[in-house]
Amino acid sequence: MNREVRWLRVSYWVGAIVDALAFLEMLFPGTLRALLGDPGQEFSVEYRLAQAFGAPLMIGWTVLLLWADRKPLERKGVLVITVFPVVSGLLIRGVVGAATGVFVGPTASAAIAIPILVIVLLTYSLLVVRGAERSAGGR
């Protein structure tokens, strides 16, 4: 199952990196826009406070993914709940943000594309493992 473990580990690490970057964006709103070269925007105190509430949860999920990486096959269920509701929720947030004009230009594209790519990667990794388990007689 080396191939399967490799896909799981890539998924855990990609998820952890994306979550760590999201944590930084939540802690310091506007970071993503600055990196993407989008025009600056002032954020309300309420927005900053809401982001600050979510930031610890995002870094917690980062740690959870790194923890799951230590026993990739045993903890593969972490990827399932990472896809839904976590990353699916981020995708919905990106779509709503783009539709309402909160996210514009490259930021809107990134807010939609990144969750889609993560969902595809994590789902593919889970399907690879599932196929290998079926071939081996299941678990």
Side-chain angles (χ1 to χ4, degrees), residues 61 77-90 92 118-119 122-123 126:
W61 206 267
V78 168
L79 290 183
V80 175
I81 55 176
T82 300
V83 169
F84 185 82
V86 177
V87 182
S88 297
L90 293 173
I92 292 167
V118 171
I119 288 169
L122 274 56
T123 302
L126 288 165

Side-chain angles (χ1 to χ4, degrees), residues 45-101:
V45 172
E46 294 83 5
Y47 179 86
R48 288 181 174 277
L49 185 59
Q51 291 289 82
F53 273 112
L57 299 173
M58 191 58 72
I59 198 67
W61 206 267
T62 303
V63 173
L64 179 69
L65 286 165
L66 295 175
W67 170 80
D69 176 65
R70 300 296 73 200
K71 295 185 180 180
L73 287 170
E74 292 174 23
R75 299 175 181 163
K76 67 183 178 284
V78 168
L79 290 183
V80 175
I81 55 176
T82 300
V83 169
F84 185 82
V86 177
V87 182
S88 297
L90 293 173
L91 175 58
I92 292 167
R93 177 201 66 136
V95 169
V96 170
T100 59

Side-chain angles (χ1 to χ4, degrees), residues 20-41:
L21 292 172
F23 164 75
L24 292 173
E25 172 62 25
M26 294 172 86
L27 203 57
F28 307 106
T31 306
L32 177 62
R33 288 183 178 180
L35 289 173
L36 294 172
D38 266 2
Q41 174 182 341

